[in-house]
């Protein structure tokens, strides 16, 4: 199964998150090895942001992908405080320097701030003209915000996992109607849901780990990309092994029973 972005590229349905990566020097080698193991196992999307560790995550990603940039679909994000015409340009060049590359495959507005969307998007379009970024998107935007956005958005990166199903009610249908794929962040609920004994039992019954079951569920519709963060080679390989896994209707129905979607719209949650 692969995820298609509106401007053409397709990527595997599981990617690699990097929040908190690069913060702890003693973990650096493991974190780099985990990213490389994910790429070796067929993952392509790496998600990072200028704000993660004040640039430390981008710096670590740069080291992890050195010599294999073309294997990667690289995503980073600009802070809303840097989202002015001049700020975006400064921010992307700093990100590119830390990442050791000349282009981002996708550049996202991290969340909505005070700068009007029109100014930020015009700045993104100029970066596309210059070849610094190949596409732009957003993160943490709910229905109303999405409706105000100028055309051309490649993704909305939002909090989504079995315990955060609000976007299914109204945001996902809007994005689907425009063929905009979703990037699901914190797809494992930062590991908090993996200890749930009901989930563990269901996962074991189909030969998956709890993390694999949750990831396979998150990407089940074919237009949602999950970007779990893994700090070890073992976790990276386990997550990559979800590529191509399809859950049966029975398993999906059981997850619906354990983690029902809300019946009415709820405001988009953020971490
Ligand atoms: P995740 O839901 O990806 O959970 C990460 C946690 O799950 C870590 O503790 C990790 O442990 C653990 N884990 C990973 N794989 C496994 C596995 N196979 N078995 C057991 N445990 C596992 O949380 P994140 O918040 O990191 O979200 C993912 C990414 O989404 C971020 O890294 C970031 O790139 C993005 N994000 C974007 C946001 C936005 O505002 N746009 C907000 C939040 C996240 P270990 O490290 O030991 O492997």
């Amino acid at each position: 199964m692969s995820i298609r972005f509106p401007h053409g590229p397709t990527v595997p349905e599981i990617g690699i998150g990097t929040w908190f990566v690069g913060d702890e020097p003693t973990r650096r080698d493991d974190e780099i090895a985990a990213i490389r193991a994910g790429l070796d196992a067929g993952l392509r999307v790496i998600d990072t942001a200028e704000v993660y560790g004040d640039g430390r995550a981008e710096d670590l990603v740069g080291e992890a992908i050195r010599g294999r940039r073309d294997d990667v679909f690289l995503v980073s994000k600009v802070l809303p405080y840097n989202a002015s015409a001049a700020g975006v340009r400064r921010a992307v060049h700093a990100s590119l320097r830390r990442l050791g590359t000349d282009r981002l495959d996708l550049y996202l507005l991290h969340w909505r701030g005070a700068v009007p969307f029109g100014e930020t998007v015009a700045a993104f379009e100029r970066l596309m003209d210059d070849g610094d970024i190949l596409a732009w998107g957003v993160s943490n935007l709910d229905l109303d915000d999405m409706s105000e956005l100028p055309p051309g958005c490649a993704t909305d990166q939002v909090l989504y996992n079995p315990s955060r199903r609000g976007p299914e009610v109204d945001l996902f249908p809007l994005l689907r109607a425009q063929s905009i794929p979703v990037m699901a962040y914190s797809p494992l609920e930062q590991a908090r849901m993996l200890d749930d004994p009901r989930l563990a039992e269901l996962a074991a019954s189909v030969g998956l780990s709890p993390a694999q079951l949750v990831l396979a569920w998150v990407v089940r519709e074919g237009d949602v990309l999950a970007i779990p963060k893994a700090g070890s080679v073992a976790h990276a390989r386990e997550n990559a092994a979800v590529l191509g896994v399809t859950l049966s209707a029975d398993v999906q129905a059981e997850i619906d029973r354990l983690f029902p979607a809300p019946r009415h719209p709820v405001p988009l949650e953020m971490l």
Side-chain angles (χ1 to χ4, degrees):
M1 191 164 39
S2 56
I3 308 295
R4 176 175 295 280
F5 287 103
H7 60 296
T10 58
V11 296
E13 69 271 26
I14 306 290
I16 299 171
T18 64
W19 195 14
F20 297 118
V21 162
D23 284 352
E24 178 52 62
T26 59
R27 301 222 18 90
R28 187 175 182 88
D29 289 350
D30 287 341
E31 289 168 346
I32 289 174
I35 290 172
R36 291 181 178 157
L39 296 175
D40 289 342
L43 306 187
R44 283 196 62 217
V45 173
I46 300 180
D47 176 76
T48 189
E50 61 171 343
V51 74
Y52 297 162
D54 250 341
R56 283 192 299 273
E58 288 183 327
D59 182 70
L60 184 142
V61 169
E63 187 173 339
I65 66 172
R66 196 173 299 150
R68 58 189 309 182
R69 173 66 184 88
D70 292 344
D71 295 347
V72 180
F73 186 95
L74 191 54
V75 185
S76 193
K77 313 185 200 81
V78 61
L79 278 166
Y81 327 113
N82 290 336
S84 64
V88 166
R89 181 164 293 276
R90 260 197 314 274
V92 81
H93 288 142
S95 287
L96 291 173
R97 203 168 42 247
R98 286 188 290 267
L99 288 160
T101 183
D102 61 354
R103 69 197 184 281
L104 294 174
D105 295 281
L106 186 52
Y107 197 36
L108 310 181
L109 174 64
H110 208 147
W111 63 88
R112 185 172 193 171
V115 180
F117 284 151
E119 180 175 343
T120 304
V121 170
F124 283 157
E125 285 169 346
R126 279 192 293 276
L127 295 183
M128 288 171 67
D129 289 342
D130 294 347
D132 292 326
I133 68 171
L134 303 186
W136 66 269
V138 294
S139 178
N140 295 301
L141 292 200
D142 207 349
L143 209 64
D144 296 355
D145 292 329
M146 283 308 292
S147 312
E148 283 179 45
L149 205 59
C153 176
T155 193
D156 189 9
Q157 183 178 118
V158 297
L159 176 60
Y160 181 60
N161 64 51
S163 66
R164 311 273 194 171
R165 296 185 64 174
E168 287 176 32
V169 179
D170 51 3
L171 180 60
F172 286 4
L174 176 93
L175 297 173
R176 257 176 208 136
Q178 300 175 44
S179 302
I180 297 177
V182 172
M183 291 181 76
Y185 77 67
S186 306
L188 302 173
E189 187 61 20
Q190 301 188 320
R192 286 185 290 273
M193 64 182 316
L194 302 180
D195 295 333
D196 186 318
R198 304 166 306 169
L199 199 67
E201 191 182 329
L202 182 61
S205 75
V206 290
L208 298 174
S209 72
Q212 288 176 319
L213 175 63
V214 170
L215 293 176
W217 180 88
V218 166
V219 302
R220 70 198 179 285
E221 299 285 356
D223 55 5
V224 177
L225 161 71
I227 47 168
K229 173 254 174 183
S232 67
V233 167
H235 281 171
R237 289 192 180 136
E238 194 178 308
N239 299 345
V242 174
L243 293 178
V245 170
T246 307
L247 299 179
S248 70
D250 286 352
V251 172
Q252 292 192 38
E254 183 59 10
I255 293 185
D256 280 338
R257 199 181 64 78
L258 297 175
F259 303 95
R263 286 165 183 271
H264 305 289
V266 287
L268 184 65
E269 297 173 278
M270 272 180 83
L271 286 185

